[in-house]
Amino acid sequence: MKDYPDKMTVEQARRFGEDVLNIVSQIPRGKVTTYGYIAALAGWPSHSRMVGRTLRYTPGAAELPCHRVVNKEGRTAPGWSRQRTLLEEEGVVFKSNGHVDMQRHLWEPWQIM
């Protein structure tokens, strides 16, 4: 695992997790955002991978619209084939390469917060 020069304390990690879940809960239907945008909004821009871990391992996170989080190219999570189906049910369009059409569906949280 990468050794981050800006490691979190236990309290910072707890707060980061809460912030991640709060941000994900606000992603509108038919939109997606990225792990990196969520990490930056939570105050830890170099911790996008930790966003993914938070969503995967936090009890109750499955109740949130986690399927609306993709990588910066619009790729869905590896090993989660249902993610694309859930997004398509919300009207999210995928390009021929299998990535979300980010120009159409990207939600940039800081533009509205």
Side-chain angles (χ1 to χ4, degrees), residues 71 73-75 84 93-102:
N71 81 357
E73 285 95 28
R75 281 186 282 148
R84 180 176 176 142
V93 174
F94 285 76
K95 299 187 297 185
S96 60
N97 65 1
H99 298 182
V100 170
D101 183 341
M102 298 297 275

Side-chain angles (χ1 to χ4, degrees), residues 39-97:
L41 195 60
W44 293 85
S46 66
H47 285 65
S48 56
R49 287 179 186 238
M50 193 167 169
V51 171
R53 284 188 215 105
T54 299
L55 296 177
R56 182 171 183 161
Y57 297 114
T58 301
E63 305 303 317
L64 299 173
C66 297
H67 63 283
R68 297 178 187 153
V69 182
V70 296
N71 81 357
K72 65 183 176 183
E73 285 95 28
R75 281 186 282 148
T76 56
W80 187 19
S81 57
R82 180 129 169 80
Q83 183 178 14
R84 180 176 176 142
T85 303
L86 291 168
L87 290 170
E88 287 176 330
E89 288 172 356
E90 294 184 1
V92 172
V93 174
F94 285 76
K95 299 187 297 185
S96 60
N97 65 1

Side-chain angles (χ1 to χ4, degrees), residues 23-45:
I23 294 162
V24 170
S25 73
Q26 297 177 54
I27 305 170
R29 184 175 178 80
K31 294 289 185 179
V32 297
T33 198
T34 68
Y35 299 100
Y37 283 163
I38 293 170
L41 195 60
W44 293 85

